[in-house]
Structures are given as structure tokens and as C-alpha cells.
Amino acid sequence: MAGTRTASLSAEKKVKQRARILAHYEVTKNVSATCRYFGISRTTFYQWRQRFEAEGVAGLRARSSRPTMIHFQIPPEVIALVCQVRRERGYGAPRLSLILQRYHQVYISPTTLLKIFRQHGLRERTWKGARRPPKRQPLPRHVGERLQVDVKFVPRRITGARQFYQFTAIDEATRFRVRRVYDQNSTTSARAFLEEVRRVLPVAIKSIQTDHGSEFGWDFTWHLRDVGITHARIPRGHPQSNGKVERSN
């Protein structure tokens, strides 16, 4: 009740102030001088004057600035889909935006997704405490079970004026290695290298392990899923998890 009473008093104060501005104009008959004296724009003055002439004192009350017509609203079924995927998978806003765009043909910006999270009590998670070192994974026994993939920038002192990037893949079970050089470090190069590895390796690939480089982003992950390969990323700050390919580089 106290907050409502305070808001009501504040609204009445604004009405009296605007009425005093209009009364000052009736004395001076000078719009520019009145606006300079009270520190308002001519547009605001004419708006208040027009509303006062049409509605009287009631026209000087504060009004909502919300648009009279909202051109686009997210459908309730899409919001329900966002909440469902968020609860089941725990995806953050950037990743969820890409998932919706690729698999559901719906685009919602990460900023809007954050607003939906807050409205439905699905806030972003905050992780506290020091990171523990990753557990050592057992060595694969079969060819193609897990491949380590990484990119190495070739220094200009070796290549001259041009720059190149060496993509390397090593099978953890056999140390079978495939290397190719590309002039761009991009997802396109990573996908081309993957097809080259699949062509050279004599068996099917089950899993590929990479770091968090931009060339191994979600487009690369989805391409792996399309061909039936699992994409695993090593923990951040622990390159030793990809030790075989790192030593090769």
C-alpha cells in the first residue's frame, strides 16, 4: 500500500508541474522561452498542450510508452519448446539458439532466450570452485574408436609470405596419423580434412576428440553427427587430454 500511495503522489506532482508549465506559457505567450526555462523540448510542450486542450487536467497524466501494436510475439508453443529443451539438456542461450535454428527452423536470438529463461525461472547456471583435472580416459583397443584432431599454424619463416595451417589426426589405438595442409583455419577446412581422414582410414570412425577452437564449432559437430561420428571436446585449459596429437605437432 505504501508503494502505491507513493506512486500516486508522484503522478499528481507531475500533473501539477505540467500544468504550471502551461500556465507560464499563458503569461509569456512564448513557447521557446517557456521550454528553455523549464528544460523541455518544444515537441513535449506541444504534446502536453494538445492533450490538455482535448482532455483537460486528465490529459496531463503520465501514460504508458508501450507500443500500441506489437508486430511480433513469440508463439506460446515455441516458448514451451525452449523451456523443454532447456530443462532436458541444460543448453545455454547461444547453443540453444543454434539448435532451434537448425533442427526446428526457428530463430530466437540469445538475448531473447535469456529473457525467456528469466521469465520462467530457468536462469543461466553459475559454476563455482576450482576446476578439477580431467580423469584419464582408457586407451581405445580398436582402430577408429577415437581420433585426436588438432590444428597447427605453420610459421611464416618456413612457408615464406603465405600462411598455412596443418590439420593432424591420430588414431589413439594404432597411432595411425593423417596430416593435411590448408590455407585457411576454418570450419570448411575442418570438414574437408574430415572427409580426407575418412577416405584414408581403412575403418569407420566412431569418435573424434578436439579442443574448443572455432574451426571445431557447432557446424563441425553437426556435420559429424550427420555422418554418424561422435564429437568430444577436451576440458578447457587441459591440452594434455589431446597429448598424442599435441606431441605430433
Side-chain angles (χ1 to χ4, degrees), residues 31-148:
V31 176
S32 298
T34 301
C35 292
R36 286 196 299 269
Y37 182 80
F38 289 97
I40 62 174
S41 66
R42 294 171 61 91
T43 302
T44 301
F45 172 82
Y46 283 118
Q47 182 182 15
W48 289 346
R49 184 184 177 190
Q50 182 179 6
R51 285 165 48 182
F52 179 75
E53 292 176 350
E55 306 176 26
V57 178
L60 300 180
R61 298 185 182 278
R63 297 181 179 180
S64 173
S65 59
R66 186 176 187 269
T68 56
M69 182 177 64
I70 299 177
H71 296 279
F72 176 77
Q73 288 184 340
I74 300 177
E77 58 271 17
V78 176
I79 296 180
L81 175 64
V82 170
C83 296
Q84 178 183 353
V85 177
R86 171 68 176 175
R87 292 190 181 98
E88 292 179 354
R89 302 297 181 88
Y91 291 158
R95 184 177 180 184
L96 183 54
S97 177
L98 295 174
I99 292 292
L100 293 174
Q101 187 175 1
R102 181 175 177 88
Y103 293 108
H104 301 281
Q105 292 74 49
V106 175
Y107 175 74
I108 304 178
S109 68
T111 303
T112 304
L113 287 175
L114 288 175
K115 293 180 181 179
I116 296 176
F117 292 169
R118 288 193 294 269
Q119 292 172 358
H120 294 80
L122 304 172
R123 295 182 178 275
E124 289 280 0
R125 301 174 181 176
T126 56
W127 301 98
K128 299 181 180 180
R131 293 179 177 177
R132 297 180 180 179
K135 295 182 179 180
R136 188 179 182 89
Q137 297 182 351
L139 183 67
R141 298 182 179 181
H142 305 288
V143 182
E145 185 173 343
R146 185 169 64 238
L147 272 68
Q148 296 183 7

Side-chain angles (χ1 to χ4, degrees), residues 159-198:
T159 62
R162 298 186 61 185
Q163 61 182 13
F164 295 97
Y165 299 89
Q166 175 185 290
F167 282 71
T168 306
I170 294 182
D171 178 67
E172 291 193 27
T174 63
R175 304 299 196 275
F176 183 86
R177 180 172 59 182
V178 180
R179 292 182 296 180
R180 294 293 184 271
V181 175
Y182 299 88
D183 56 359
Q184 290 184 350
N185 183 23
S186 62
T187 303
T188 302
S189 299
R191 292 174 61 174
F193 177 65
L194 171 65
E195 296 306 318
E196 190 68 15
V197 174
R198 294 179 64 201

Side-chain angles (χ1 to χ4, degrees), residues 1-7:
M1 292 295 293
T4 304
R5 189 181 300 108
T6 302

